């Protein structure tokens, strides 16, 4: 079993009550589906409710964080490690305050706190709009994947990929959830990958998921769990942009034939649209763009496909927002995939590809590398690599 330099600090952090932030900020889906029908029929801005946020004990959670900070203060440990834990708690405090704003339906402050958490987008609305127009001129007709990969087949592929990377402690399970999730687990529990039972993706999408989720997310988590710093397995404060940017960079490098547009483009564009326009304008812009793409590729039911795609993007862009009826409101997390990619690409250009291996030490950010180097911690276990062999097509379960 790994001996952690920060074992005492980790015990304090793990004693804090669970806080499934990404689930809490999601709207009630049955109501969201009803709001979609109403919006498409009348154009009336939707209203979203957040029952998990409404019943979350923000005051009790903030008190638990204050207690943890006092306990951490008494621990004798390397000052850089202690700073990481204090910053981690500050990040959790910021998230809890955002939930309090959701409870109050204070959409302006939900927007402001999401910007504190994830930062402003790197690219302007004008630049992204121009990029979409230019990308259409060079795009190729999409290949329609008639043979899909279902949950059972994807589970088999993920288990095989985990085995290829010798990630033997990981478990994979089918769930009733809506999205594929990677759970880091606590120090004494195994990390898990949860696959929605109703998932159905193209073969190409399955390939990208393996690179994104296993080659990067799972490997970084495993390396962190095996390192001398337990927090590398859980995630340093504000590591998420680097985490997602590295995963997008890896999948972009693995599939050079699909480099027409950086993955995460539409979520970043939607954030910039929402910061400048209201819900209806944002939706209509995304719908028109998606419809043009589908028509370029001669896909059937292009308008219906575009409506569904634009609505899904808007649901992500307006998480935590109760009344998206005016300009400027947004939950801005969506831009970190693309912006994280741009930061990784810039770092590789400046520092060389060696920086990718340095980032594989665990769930750390680009901004942490100097401190990690100062402490003399090097990347342990598996290094940065992307599968070179083509993925075999999985059989669908009967």
């Amino acid at each position: 079993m790994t001996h952690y330099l920060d074992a005492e600090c980790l015990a304090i952090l793990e004693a804090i009550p669970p806080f499934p932030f990404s689930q809490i900020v999601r709207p009630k889906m049955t109501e969201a589906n009803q709001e979609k029908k109403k919006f498409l029929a009348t154009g009336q801005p939707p209203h979203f409710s957040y029952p998990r946020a409404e019943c979350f004990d923000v005051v009790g959670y903030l008190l638990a964080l204050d207690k943890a900070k006092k306990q951490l203060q008494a621990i004798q440990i390397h000052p850089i490690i202690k700073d990481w834990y204090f910053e981690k708690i500050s990040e959790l405090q910021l998230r809890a305050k955002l939930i309090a704003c959701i409870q109050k339906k204070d959409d302006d402050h939900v927007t402001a706190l999401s910007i504190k958490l994830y930062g402003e987008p790197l690219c302007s609305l004008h630049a992204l709009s121009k990029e979409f127009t230019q990308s259409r001129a060079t795009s190729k007709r999409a290949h329609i994947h008639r043979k899909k990969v279902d949950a059972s087949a994807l589970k088999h592929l993920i288990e095989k990929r985990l085995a290829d990377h010798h990630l033997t402690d990981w478990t994979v399970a089918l769930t009733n959830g809506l999205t594929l999730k990677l759970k880091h687990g606590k120090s004494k529990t195994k990390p898990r990958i949860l696959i929605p039972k109703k998932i159905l993706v193209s073969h190409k999408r399955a390939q990208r998921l393996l690179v994104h989720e296993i080659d990067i997310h799972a490997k970084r988590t495993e390396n962190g769990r095996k390192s001398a710093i337990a927090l590398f397995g859980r995630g340093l404060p504000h590591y998420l942009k680097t985490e997602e940017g590295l995963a997008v960079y890896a999948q972009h490098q693995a599939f050079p034939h699909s480099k027409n547009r950086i993955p995460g483009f539409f979520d970043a564009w939607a954030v910039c649209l929402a910061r400048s326009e209201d819900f209806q304008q944002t939706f209509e812009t995304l719908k028109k763009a998606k419809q043009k793409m589908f028509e370029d590729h001669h896909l059937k039911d292009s308008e219906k496909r575009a409506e569904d795609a634009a609505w899904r993007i808007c649901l992500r862009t307006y998480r935590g927002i109760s009344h998206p009826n005016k300009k400027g409101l947004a939950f801005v997390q969506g831009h970190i995939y693309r912006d994280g990619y741009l930061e990784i690409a810039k770092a590789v250009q400046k520092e060389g590809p060696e920086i990718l291996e340095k980032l594989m030490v665990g769930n750390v950010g680009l901004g942490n590398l100097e401190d990690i180097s100062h402490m003399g911690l090097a990347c342990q276990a598996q290094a940065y690599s992307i599968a070179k062999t083509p993925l075999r097509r999985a059989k669908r379960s009967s």
Side-chain angles (χ1 to χ4, degrees):
M1 184 175 178
T2 303
H3 173 71
Y4 293 127
L5 298 176
D6 58 337
E8 287 184 89
C9 297
L10 180 70
I12 293 170
L13 192 65
E14 291 189 340
I16 297 170
F19 185 21
F21 179 74
S22 62
Q23 298 174 38
I24 292 175
V25 298
R26 294 178 187 272
K28 186 177 181 181
M29 289 309 298
T30 53
E31 181 184 82
N33 291 334
Q34 294 171 355
E35 291 294 306
K36 177 185 177 183
K37 293 178 182 178
K38 183 175 69 175
F39 171 74
L40 293 177
T42 67
Q44 181 180 340
H47 165 74
F48 300 123
S49 64
Y50 302 89
R52 295 196 65 169
E54 290 163 7
C55 66
F56 185 74
D57 182 8
V58 173
V59 173
Y61 188 78
L62 288 173
L63 287 173
L65 293 178
D66 286 338
K67 178 182 177 183
K69 286 178 73 172
K70 292 177 182 177
Q71 292 173 324
L72 285 170
Q73 193 67 53
I75 292 178
Q76 298 298 315
I77 196 171
H78 195 290
I80 290 178
I81 297 176
K82 182 175 281 192
D83 284 345
W84 284 337
Y85 274 89
F86 278 122
E87 289 173 22
K88 188 73 174 179
I89 289 178
S90 295
E91 182 181 28
L92 293 173
Q93 287 174 323
L94 198 57
R95 293 185 177 212
K97 291 175 182 177
L98 189 149
I99 301 303
C101 291
I102 294 176
Q103 293 174 345
K104 298 173 185 175
K105 296 180 173 54
D106 187 346
D107 295 333
D108 290 309
H109 279 94
V110 169
T111 300
L113 289 173
S114 77
I115 292 171
K116 282 190 175 182
L117 279 170
Y118 305 111
E120 290 277 16
L122 294 176
C123 296
S124 68
L125 174 57
H126 174 74
L128 291 171
S129 300
K130 184 178 179 181
E131 182 178 331
F132 173 75
T133 302
Q134 293 174 335
S135 68
R136 281 188 67 208
T138 57
S139 66
K140 297 179 181 179
R141 179 171 177 172
H143 173 68
I144 300 175
H145 294 265
R146 302 191 184 281
K147 292 185 177 180
K148 299 287 187 177
V149 177
D150 65 7
S152 178
L154 184 59
K155 181 175 182 289
H156 172 76
L157 291 171
I158 287 175
E159 288 173 338
K160 175 66 167 59
R161 192 68 148 235
L162 289 170
D164 289 344
H165 288 311
H166 308 291
L167 303 182
T168 56
D169 287 340
W170 290 69
T171 59
V172 185
L174 303 182
T175 72
N176 293 320
L178 299 176
T179 58
L180 190 147
K181 296 177 183 177
L182 188 150
K183 298 284 189 179
H184 291 176
K186 292 189 176 183
S187 56
K188 296 180 181 179
T189 60
K190 292 183 177 181
R192 297 177 295 157
I193 296 174
L194 306 178
I195 303 172
K197 292 178 181 178
K198 295 183 179 180
I199 196 170
L200 195 63
V201 297
S202 69
H203 188 68
K204 179 186 271 189
R205 174 63 176 156
Q207 289 179 307
R208 292 197 295 264
L209 281 172
L210 292 181
V211 173
H212 192 106
E213 302 294 341
I214 310 304
D215 293 0
I216 300 301
H217 291 337
K219 283 179 65 176
R220 291 227 311 166
T221 297
E222 182 75 0
N223 286 352
R225 288 166 65 89
K226 291 182 177 179
S227 76
I229 307 296
L231 197 57
F232 286 5
R234 179 157 175 162
L236 292 187
H238 305 291
Y239 80 101
L240 197 57
K241 184 189 286 189
T242 296
E243 178 73 15
E244 298 299 351
L246 183 61
V248 170
Y249 182 89
Q251 73 180 60
H252 219 210
Q253 295 300 307
F255 303 101
H257 56 281
S258 60
K259 290 188 177 182
N260 183 53
R261 190 182 299 113
I262 297 171
F265 170 84
F266 273 98
D267 284 300
W269 193 19
V271 167
C272 288
L273 285 167
R275 296 289 289 133
S276 300
E277 302 176 353
D278 62 21
F279 184 95
Q280 185 170 18
Q281 293 169 319
T282 298
F283 174 86
E284 290 297 335
T285 300
L286 294 171
K287 177 190 169 184
K288 288 178 183 177
K290 283 288 186 179
Q291 188 168 349
K292 287 177 182 178
M293 285 180 55
F294 295 146
E295 289 172 350
D296 287 345
H297 299 143
H298 306 293
L299 298 179
K300 295 180 180 180
D301 303 320
S302 59
E303 185 175 5
K304 178 64 167 61
R305 287 172 179 262
E307 282 181 352
D308 292 342
W311 181 262
R312 288 194 300 270
I313 297 170
C314 284
L315 277 186
R316 295 193 293 269
T317 306
Y318 289 94
R319 276 177 292 186
I321 304 296
S322 298
H323 300 284
N325 57 355
K326 66 177 184 179
K327 297 179 180 181
L329 301 176
F331 184 87
V332 304
Q333 182 183 2
H335 76 79
I336 67 170
Y337 298 85
R338 177 191 166 86
D339 286 2
Y341 168 92
L342 293 174
E343 290 183 356
I344 294 292
K346 183 178 180 180
V348 171
Q349 186 177 26
K350 181 180 179 181
E351 307 289 341
E354 308 83 47
I355 198 167
L356 300 174
E357 187 164 334
K358 292 178 181 178
L359 288 170
M360 292 305 291
V361 68
N363 295 319
V364 306
L366 278 166
N368 302 127
L369 291 184
E370 185 175 347
D371 282 340
I372 291 171
S373 176
H374 178 74
M375 294 175 65
L377 298 169
C379 181
Q380 302 172 40
Q382 301 108 38
Y384 174 91
S385 65
I386 300 301
K388 301 295 191 296
T389 55
L391 180 67
R392 293 180 181 178
R393 190 174 298 279
K395 295 181 180 179
R396 288 188 62 185
S397 60
S398 56

